[in-house]
Amino acid sequence: MSALCKLAPLPWDEKALEPVISARTIEFHYHKHHQGYVDTLNKLVEGGKFAGMTLEEIIHETADAAADAEKKIFNNAAQVWNHDFYWRSLGPQKTVPQGKLASAIARDFGDTAGLIAALAEAGKSQFGSGWAWLISIGGKLQIEKTANAQTPMAQGINCLLTVDVWEHAYYLDYQNARPKYLEEVLGKILNWDFAAENLEKESQAVLAAAQ
Ligand code: MN
């Protein structure tokens, strides 16, 4: 990839998540913040050793960087990836966990409400900016929270869903009420089909590795 990193298109119309997330929030969050990470990343990698790498490769290569220049590259690259993953974690159509995902949720959290409560708690208790995640490790579902640009994906962990808890994700619609934003998003617009696809990818990868 010598081509520049590009802003991936949103998977739905900019008004589609209203009233949970307004078009005005999307206007700033996607067109200013997410675009800003893409533009900054492209400037930082231009002409250097990361210029030919994919976004995922850049994240893995810089995840444990000690030098400030590489930390900056990590922060911007991870934020590009995290935001793309966040948009795909949300959707206007009501979905419910089905199949293997539903079984895994029942096994690991009791029920979907239990999972949502744990994810909400992770989002609420993340001090400052960051992300709340549903991840799977060997098919076992877990909740994680990360600060700033940090992402479980950098450690090779399979991510199923994420929720952005940076203030820019909710301030226009909910002001300081992060718990209310989490309640609305987690209860109404999570894309469980995306989570199921991500869980399935992991079991396919395990099967492929075993052959
Ligand atoms: Mn954000």
Side-chain angles (χ1 to χ4, degrees):
M1 183 191 84
S2 57
L4 294 172
C5 175
K6 288 203 180 80
L7 183 68
L10 289 170
W12 22 254
D13 183 85
E14 296 186 19
K15 288 184 185 160
L17 304 183
E18 290 191 336
V20 177
I21 296 178
S22 67
R24 185 157 164 81
T25 287
I26 300 295
E27 181 189 339
F28 284 91
H29 198 175
Y30 175 69
H31 292 286
K32 305 291 182 193
H33 291 279
H34 192 177
Q35 179 76 61
Y37 297 123
V38 170
D39 294 345
T40 303
L41 176 65
N42 284 328
K43 274 185 210 137
L44 291 172
V45 302
E46 194 179 357
K49 67 173 175 176
F50 299 110
M53 296 184 189
T54 65
L55 184 64
E56 286 78 5
E57 286 168 343
I58 294 172
I59 293 168
H60 290 131
E61 288 291 316
T62 56
D64 302 313
D68 281 348
E70 293 198 1
K71 281 184 189 167
K72 265 191 209 167
I73 290 174
F74 172 82
N75 284 337
N76 285 279
Q79 283 294 78
V80 172
W81 192 91
N82 288 347
H83 281 89
D84 188 48
F85 199 84
Y86 171 58
W87 305 132
R88 289 184 290 151
S89 294
L90 308 179
Q93 268 91 37
K94 180 81 182 161
T95 56
V96 292
Q98 291 177 324
K100 279 186 205 168
L101 176 63
S103 313
I105 290 172
R107 183 193 63 211
D108 298 332
F109 294 95
D111 56 20
T112 305
L115 188 167
I116 286 177
L119 196 52
E121 185 52 36
K124 278 183 227 173
S125 62
Q126 169 54 37
F127 186 77
S129 296
W131 300 82
W133 303 84
L134 175 64
I135 61 172
S136 66
I137 297 180
K140 179 167 169 47
L141 307 188
Q142 292 178 42
I143 302 293
E144 193 171 322
K145 58 186 176 184
T146 59
N148 301 317
Q150 290 296 329
T151 175
M153 168 273 193
Q155 272 68 52
I157 290 170
N158 186 38
C159 302
L160 305 190
L161 290 174
T162 195
V163 182
D164 190 340
V165 295
W166 285 57
E167 284 187 346
H168 67 225
Y170 58 86
Y171 227 84
L172 289 175
D173 295 327
Y174 299 91
Q175 292 73 53
N176 59 323
R178 188 192 287 185
K180 184 67 182 166
Y181 156 75
L182 286 164
E183 183 189 330
E184 291 290 304
V185 167
L186 301 180
K188 295 180 180 170
I189 57 169
L190 279 185
N191 184 350
W192 293 104
D193 294 344
F194 180 59
E197 275 168 38
N198 291 322
L199 185 63
E200 185 58 28
K201 272 183 211 159
E202 187 184 15
S203 54
Q204 295 299 332
V206 169
L207 284 176
Q211 277 169 1

